[in-house]
Amino acid sequence: MKAVRGKEGDGEAVKRPGSAPGTDPPPDFIRAIVAADRAAGKHGGRVGTRFPPEPNGFLHIGHAKSIVLNFGVAAENGGTCNLRYDDTNPAKEEALYVESIAADVRWLGYRWEGPRKFASDYFDRLYEFAETLIRRGKAYVDSLSAEEVRQTRGTLETPGTESPYRNRAVEENLDLFRRMRAGEFPDGTHVLRARIDMASGNLNLRDPTLYRIRRLGHHRTGDDWCIYPMYDFAHALSDSIEGITHSLCTLEFEDHRPLYDWCVAESRAEFVPRQIEFARLNVSYTVLSKRRLLRLVSEGHVSGWDDPRMPTIAGLRRRGVPPAAIRAFCERVGVAKRDSTVDIALLEHAVREELNRTSPRRMGVLDPVRLVVENYPEEDDETLDAVNNPEDPAAGARRVPFCRELLIERADFMEDPPRKFYRLAPGREVRLRYAYLVTCTGFSKDESGRVDEIRVRLDPDSRGGDAPDGRRVRATLHWVSARHAVPATVRLYDRLFGVETPGRDGDFTDDLNPDSMRVNREARIEPSVRDLNPGDRIQLERLGYFVADSEDHLPESPVLNRTVSLRDTWARIAKRAR
Ligand code: ATP
Ligand code: MG
């Protein structure tokens, strides 16, 4: 059934800019509702929310938006947020997903109230609610086939047709429903349906199915049940059982809200929660539906749910994205009542902002070429002080080794440079970061014509990198000592999809970016790379932010994933949009 979109401008979001420190942004429409409810003393001012994932896949950045909102609203109001698995469909759910979801929520920095909860914890009580509906004449056992139920539902233009079983007596319904539960009937022979209105303009209210027979083992209740509640019924009543005051969900549930309210009211549930819908997060250059993400995994387009190119929480973590960056991104995007697509550059921007503040700087060379310092003795070496993070004086300094033979980035030298190229070239002076000023005296090439060695002379009075006479040096290059540097594997990532809206013109897998990962085995990193533990993040100066891979990194053979490059495109995009 097609979801009805929120009216444009209806409850339009107030963006929470998240930048301007010291100014309190106005609350979004959900926070405004919660504040008004508290002011009115509703539920004694108590606020309870929940994050309700279905355990049929890994969480993605869209779920993060819901997590940040639900846990955020609870925390801001001194309330509680439950983690509740909506595990009503035994066909698609796996214990692996249950564990990954809990780990991801925890990693994002949130703690749920009490133990994890499951809709399946409430199967007995949900069953009781269903009997209440039957006793009150609000539900009946229908013996039409699934196909017949579909065919009699009608369309948006035409009303549905009432089932011949709609007017079964209460006693007969109770008896049949109990026998459904007892396993007397094969799958698909009967369903329990709400008795609402087959002519309703809202198709969700045309006697929706509440229970169906399904002989499948459940990950928690095993073979205890052969009937399972449908999502709308189970979700509304689970919220009620848990005393959820504000049930926040995405817009596609807007026209399910009358059914949500009906289930709570007609089942005579004590506690009445309120459902509020907000816009789903969409991000350019990626896909966020679990069905599509599952295809990427099962068809082998990526190495798994935690492939660093995936928009899953596990993928972002392995990519090196810090949880604070995801929280900042979600807050920045804000909560609106209108669907929109957020530019992935905004996520990358939030990642850079966080990593700039927190990542220690290191030096490494991805495409090395030899640099020989002619006036530095062969047998000598020394160590130089290098600042760990100019943004964070408390991060201190480290020592980096220097000697006669260094490696620099091949692209930092040109034999015959154009006017705007300020880096190394014959006769040109540059600064080696934290070390010396050096002037190029010559170079040589191999048989294929490729530069294989550059020669320089250093100014002995420039130790640390400052010109003794204050003369101007335009370029500062990163470098490593050839003798001391550690060979590393570096994975350079690009966007997983080559187009803004994957799947717009055909199958979304046709839009995969063939160059989304490049593996570099030539890289050489300064020796302190040996101190990294899996998951540690660094900036390689001028190259980007990197993380030691959580699976493959070893101190003696480092494996680094590039999280993002240093170039931020967000400011330009935001300016253009303005
Ligand atoms: P998908 O569409 O990826 O399959 P789903 O909605 O089926 O996701 P659930 O496990 O049911 O996934 O979602 C748990 C919660 O997260 C729900 O409240 C849902 O509304 C919310 N959620 C899911 N995707 C997004 C998104 N892109 N933006 C915001 N919230 C989302
Ligand atoms: Mg869902």
Side-chain angles (χ1 to χ4, degrees):
M1 207 166 297
K2 195 90 189 79
V4 177
R5 287 280 158 77
K7 289 173 244 53
E8 295 239 312
D10 174 14
E12 244 280 65
V14 190
K15 287 260 159 66
R16 295 158 65 81
S19 38
T23 59
D24 251 344
D28 55 67
F29 77 99
I30 290 181
R31 288 174 165 90
I33 292 172
V34 172
D37 284 350
R38 288 189 72 197
K42 201 171 167 185
H43 308 303
R46 186 182 65 81
V47 172
T49 59
R50 85 290 169 262
F51 172 63
E54 186 179 349
N56 61 351
F58 277 56
L59 298 183
H60 53 60
I61 184 82
H63 292 113
K65 175 175 174 176
S66 174
I67 292 168
V68 169
L69 176 65
N70 276 294
F71 282 92
V73 164
E76 291 156 27
N77 291 284
T80 54
C81 183
N82 293 348
L83 171 60
R84 181 174 74 235
Y85 297 90
D86 252 312
D87 58 348
T88 50
N89 182 358
K92 288 198 288 184
E93 289 149 8
E94 284 180 34
L96 163 73
Y97 297 136
V98 171
E99 293 311 319
S100 81
I101 288 169
D104 288 350
V105 174
R106 239 183 272 119
W107 179 77
L108 278 172
Y110 297 105
R111 301 292 175 268
W112 50 89
E113 179 71 9
R116 309 176 202 178
K117 298 178 171 56
F118 295 84
S120 57
D121 293 341
Y122 312 133
F123 278 174
D124 284 312
R125 294 174 72 181
L126 294 175
Y127 178 86
E128 290 305 321
F129 282 126
E131 285 213 350
T132 301
L133 287 176
I134 295 172
R135 262 187 242 102
R136 300 187 58 248
K138 299 290 180 183
Y140 61 97
V141 172
D142 197 348
S143 310
L144 293 180
S145 70
E147 187 49 35
E148 287 166 322
V149 169
R150 218 181 349 265
Q151 278 169 7
T152 51
R153 187 172 287 138
T155 66
L156 279 174
E157 287 78 35
T158 58
T161 334
E162 294 188 355
S163 163
Y165 304 102
R166 195 172 197 266
N167 296 316
R168 274 178 166 150
V170 167
E171 282 315 313
E172 188 186 358
N173 280 322
L174 266 184
D175 175 60
L176 285 170
F177 189 51
R178 287 173 184 166
R179 288 165 60 197
M180 278 169 67
R181 178 191 183 167
E184 287 188 26
F185 307 116
D187 290 16
T189 48
H190 304 279
V191 291
L192 184 73
R193 289 180 78 177
R195 196 165 186 277
I196 309 179
D197 178 6
M198 285 308 290
S200 172
N202 182 340
L203 272 72
N204 294 299
L205 296 181
R206 294 187 186 170
D207 292 10
T209 300
L210 302 179
Y211 267 90
R212 59 189 170 160
I213 306 173
R214 204 92 213 256
R215 278 184 179 68
L216 270 180
H218 184 276
H219 75 117
R220 298 188 74 242
T221 57
D223 295 328
D224 292 353
W225 294 85
C226 64
I227 58 172
Y228 289 97
M230 300 300 285
Y231 179 83
D232 286 309
F233 175 75
H235 187 76
L237 288 161
S238 299
D239 280 348
S240 170
I241 289 169
E242 291 180 7
I244 301 303
T245 58
H246 300 83
S247 176
L248 312 179
C249 64
T250 34
L251 271 187
E252 70 271 21
F253 291 104
E254 188 170 41
D255 67 342
H256 293 237
R257 192 190 330 131
L259 177 56
Y260 181 101
D261 293 340
W262 184 95
C263 287
V264 173
E266 300 299 346
S267 304
R268 294 292 188 252
E270 255 168 65
F271 187 85
V272 181
R274 171 170 179 188
Q275 173 178 307
I276 307 168
E277 309 86 16
F278 63 94
R280 191 168 260 276
L281 174 69
N282 301 301
V283 182
S284 63
Y285 293 96
T286 192
V287 295
L288 288 186
S289 106
K290 276 186 274 191
R291 198 173 34 81
R292 286 175 160 191
L293 296 175
L294 179 62
R295 265 191 66 194
L296 291 175
V297 174
S298 60
E299 293 174 12
H301 300 293
V302 294
S303 63
W305 286 98
D306 70 344
D307 186 298
R309 292 164 294 178
M310 289 282 271
T312 51
I313 305 300
L316 293 165
R317 175 169 57 230
R318 194 163 171 194
R319 177 80 168 251
V321 171
I326 298 179
R327 295 195 300 265
F329 167 72
C330 291
E331 271 160 24
R332 196 80 182 255
V333 165
V335 194
K337 202 144 174 89
R338 190 163 22 152
D339 272 320
S340 65
T341 298
V342 174
D343 200 303
I344 198 167
L346 179 60
L347 174 60
E348 294 163 352
H349 172 74
V351 172
R352 286 190 188 96
E353 259 187 356
E354 178 64 21
L355 291 176
N356 180 42
R357 231 184 346 260
T358 55
S359 302
R361 274 51 170 174
R362 296 291 182 260
M363 289 197 288
V365 175
L366 293 185
D367 183 15
V369 61
R370 237 146 54 95
L371 184 88
V372 178
V373 186
E374 290 177 326
N375 56 341
Y376 200 92
E378 193 115 26
E379 15 6 286
D380 272 13
D381 59 24
E382 64 187 298
T383 57
L384 298 157
D385 278 333
V387 170
N388 278 334
N389 187 349
E391 303 285 321
D392 177 12
R398 67 193 186 283
R399 315 273 296 166
V400 289
F402 183 91
C403 63
R404 179 184 167 90
E405 279 203 23
L406 309 175
L407 301 171
I408 63 166
E409 215 68 66
R410 182 169 287 282
D412 281 340
F413 174 79
M414 278 186 94
E415 178 182 351
D416 189 11
R419 266 174 48 92
K420 291 272 179 180
F421 185 88
Y422 299 118
R423 290 168 271 163
L424 203 56
R428 191 72 72 68
E429 184 173 53
V430 298
R431 174 182 299 107
L432 295 178
R433 181 83 154 145
Y434 305 121
Y436 292 95
L437 302 182
V438 298
T439 303
C440 180
T441 52
F443 63 94
S444 60
K445 293 179 173 180
D446 62 16
E447 309 89 80
S448 71
R450 225 164 90 104
V451 173
D452 63 357
E453 184 179 294
I454 301 159
R455 288 183 296 281
V456 295
R457 290 184 72 80
L458 66 73
D459 176 349
D461 295 327
S462 65
R463 191 170 192 269
D466 293 321
D469 54 1
R471 69 182 180 268
R472 185 144 179 244
V473 177
R474 293 190 89 143
T476 300
L477 307 188
H478 61 275
W479 54 274
V480 293
S481 155
R483 180 147 39 101
H484 303 89
V486 181
T489 301
V490 176
R491 300 175 185 144
L492 300 167
Y493 295 106
D494 197 352
R495 291 167 183 173
L496 184 53
F497 292 93
V499 302
E500 251 183 82
T501 314
R504 205 189 49 190
D505 315 305
D507 189 74
F508 75 101
T509 58
D510 295 339
D511 294 326
L512 282 161
N513 171 10
D515 300 317
S516 58
M517 177 170 76
R518 245 177 47 233
V519 181
N520 173 324
R521 295 197 169 81
E522 308 301 311
R524 297 287 183 278
I525 319 284
E526 64 169 81
S528 69
V529 72
R530 291 211 176 86
D531 301 334
L532 292 184
N533 290 310
D536 284 352
R537 306 180 185 96
I538 55 172
Q539 182 196 93
L540 286 180
E541 295 206 19
R542 297 176 68 220
L543 298 174
Y545 296 100
F546 294 79
V547 65
D549 188 71
S550 54
E551 300 291 318
D552 304 329
H553 175 81
L554 293 169
E556 59 278 19
S557 66
V559 179
L560 303 181
N561 301 332
R562 180 153 74 182
T563 311
V564 277
S565 66
L566 294 178
R567 199 176 41 215
D568 199 329
T569 53
W570 175 245
R572 197 161 35 87
I573 291 166
K575 196 169 153 202
R576 214 191 306 135
R578 256 186 266 120

